[in-house]
Amino acid sequence: MSTHDDAILDDAARWRSRDLAVLWHPCTQMREHPDVLPLLPVARAQGPWLVGHDGARTLDAVSSWWVTLHGHTEPRIAEAIARQARTLEQVILAGCSHAPAVELAERLLAIAPREPSRPPLAKVFYADNGSAGIEVALKMAFHWFRNRGDEPRRTKFIALQNGYHGETIGALSVGDIPLYRRIYAPLLMQAVFAPSPDAYLARPGQSGEGCAEDAADALAHLLDEHAGEICALVLEPLVQCAGGMRMHHPAYLRRVRELCDVHGVFLIADEIAVGFGRTGTMFACEQAGIQPDLLCLSKGLTGGFLPLAAVLATQAIYDGFLDDSRERAFLHSHSYTGNPLACAAALASLDIFASDDVLVRNQATAARMAELARGIAAMPDVADVRQTGMIVAFELAPGGDRRAAFEPARRVGLRAYRAALERGVLLRPLGDVLYWMPPYCIDESQLALLAETTRAAIAEAVA
Ligand SMILES: *Cc1c(COP(=O)(O)O)cnc(C)c1O
């Protein structure tokens, strides 16, 4: 580009062009940028708003890929990170210890889902993103059985159809979203996939609970069929987020917990997306009254400021690695394991949950989201509106027919995305599913803008 061209471009256009010259964006067909797929340069952010170089505001209705909890640049978290950065920015966590890592582990264990009849989750292993956390949990479950030595056939995992657990090879192996998985299939380890309890798949006249019971029966058969071969089952409790915000009845989770116990299989709860209040309770498992053997947390863990993951494990799993031999130890590590800045951000986020009574405030916000969603449910091409806590999803299908789908070539979801963006709202549909997953600070007028824009975006996309 010549200097003359450069001079007549505005700031946003200049950043767009510098970006596309050097960046390769995540989860993007780069050929679509910028003509088919807009590229939004963000100069700063505050609360639920992303602010462009020209000062124009865009409402972040997807919490920047589900990580931003309380709001962008929340001053208390920003301050905690700054303070920590001046004190201890990073230290090797093998052989060293630091207060933020210890305190965060103590507090996570204290709030973790708990069944009175079970020994509680007792130990925390840190990783630095969600996929890495899943890898940790899978390796721990497998290695625990290796260490015990008496069940050498336990080498497989069970996961759910339409589930998502991240993009690294191990996490992708237990994921079931063809768009992300299919091309890499030859590289992946074999997992066993059980039917999803997804209530959207209920037969006509069947309740969500009935659908969940059917899926649990199918899981029971699979566990029988693979008796002695499975080391762990991994699932996203209550909401399969990347799979289109598909939701299921908590009865399924209770059945899964029982079945895992009967078959001696570890239950890994992936609360990377649904943890920290997203579903209305601090953790989704609470709504089923179940406690997993391994709990994976990330995304909102730091309030959305820094990458961090935590895997919570039972004492029994931890004890299975104690030995005189180093090989029986869990020799997994990441350079930034337990980074103090990320731990300080997570501690500040937990403080906000307490001081601002976030879960209680969210009940009112979620109720308002439900009211606003009701108006959109009546639109002709909306086949389903579903909600779990602070997540509302709109399933678009021609004529609102649950068994139909728009021609993929129509790019209905993409058209809705563009229409919303032009109106100052960042919705990022999953296929033809639009959803609201806003930062918890979203207020009444912002919710009204979100609802009005969603309605307009749907109308424009299906026109
Ligand atoms: C996002 C996500 C992951 C992966 O986390 P990354 O930090 O993106 O690697 C895993 N599981 C679930 C349920 C997720 O939503």
Side-chain angles (χ1 to χ4, degrees), residues 189-234:
M189 58 179 171
Q190 293 297 310
V192 176
F193 287 98
S196 172
D198 177 3
Y200 190 72
L201 302 178
R203 295 189 306 270
Q206 191 184 33
S207 69
E209 184 166 7
C211 182
E213 292 293 347
D214 282 359
D217 291 342
L219 174 64
H221 285 298
L222 274 177
L223 281 164
D224 283 338
E225 200 179 307
H226 294 277
E229 296 172 12
I230 308 288
C231 39
L233 179 150
V234 58

Side-chain angles (χ1 to χ4, degrees), residues 60-85:
D60 182 358
V62 298
S63 295
S64 283
W65 257 344
W66 323 339
V67 303
T68 308
L69 278 198
H70 309 291
H72 287 280
T73 58
E74 212 309 319
R76 290 166 287 183
I77 300 179
E79 185 48 43
I81 294 170
R83 211 179 312 120
Q84 188 61 45

Side-chain angles (χ1 to χ4, degrees), residues 66-310:
W66 323 339
V67 303
T68 308
L69 278 198
H70 309 291
H72 287 280
T73 58
E74 212 309 319
R76 290 166 287 183
I77 300 179
E79 185 48 43
I81 294 170
R83 211 179 312 120
Q84 188 61 45
R86 291 189 292 264
T87 311
L88 173 68
E89 86 300 352
Q90 165 66 1
V91 65
I92 175 173
L93 199 65
C96 293
S97 178
H98 59 81
V102 175
E103 278 180 38
L104 179 59
E106 288 170 350
R107 287 178 64 180
L108 290 175
L109 293 170
I111 59 171
R114 181 82 206 266
E115 271 178 70
S117 59
R118 272 172 211 280
L121 292 166
K123 292 287 189 263
V124 176
F125 192 98
Y126 291 114
D128 41 23
N129 62 71
S131 304
I134 292 291
E135 303 283 347
V136 165
L138 297 176
K139 284 175 71 178
M140 272 181 181
F142 169 83
H143 194 160
W144 187 90
F145 281 107
R146 288 279 126 164
N147 281 350
R148 220 176 59 167
D150 57 345
E151 292 192 278
R153 289 167 56 242
R154 288 211 192 246
T155 58
K156 292 186 182 152
F157 299 100
I158 288 196
L160 301 193
Q161 289 171 2
N162 195 45
Y164 178 85
H165 302 286
E167 301 292 343
T168 54
I169 299 291
L172 202 56
S173 298
V174 290
D176 181 46
I177 300 190
L179 183 62
Y180 307 138
R181 177 192 170 92
R182 204 187 293 124
I183 187 72
Y184 303 106
L187 301 180
L188 304 180
M189 58 179 171
Q190 293 297 310
V192 176
F193 287 98
S196 172
D198 177 3
Y200 190 72
L201 302 178
R203 295 189 306 270
Q206 191 184 33
S207 69
E209 184 166 7
C211 182
E213 292 293 347
D214 282 359
D217 291 342
L219 174 64
H221 285 298
L222 274 177
L223 281 164
D224 283 338
E225 200 179 307
H226 294 277
E229 296 172 12
I230 308 288
C231 39
L233 179 150
V234 58
L235 55 68
E236 299 157 89
L238 295 188
V239 188
Q240 293 188 308
C241 293
M245 300 295 164
R246 294 295 184 83
M247 300 173 184
H248 57 259
H249 195 280
Y252 181 74
L253 301 174
R254 288 189 282 274
R255 289 280 307 279
V256 169
R257 182 63 276 183
E258 285 165 23
L259 288 167
C260 285
D261 285 341
V262 168
H263 288 269
V265 164
F266 289 125
L267 172 55
I268 303 172
D270 176 353
E271 294 222 18
I272 289 167
V274 295
F276 300 101
R278 264 304 156 193
T279 64
T281 43
M282 195 60 158
F283 298 106
C285 285
E286 293 169 40
Q287 295 184 40
I290 63 150
Q291 180 187 312
D293 302 299
L294 291 158
L295 175 65
C296 299
L297 304 173
S298 187
K299 288 207 166 100
L301 171 57
T302 61
F305 273 67
L306 286 164
L308 179 68

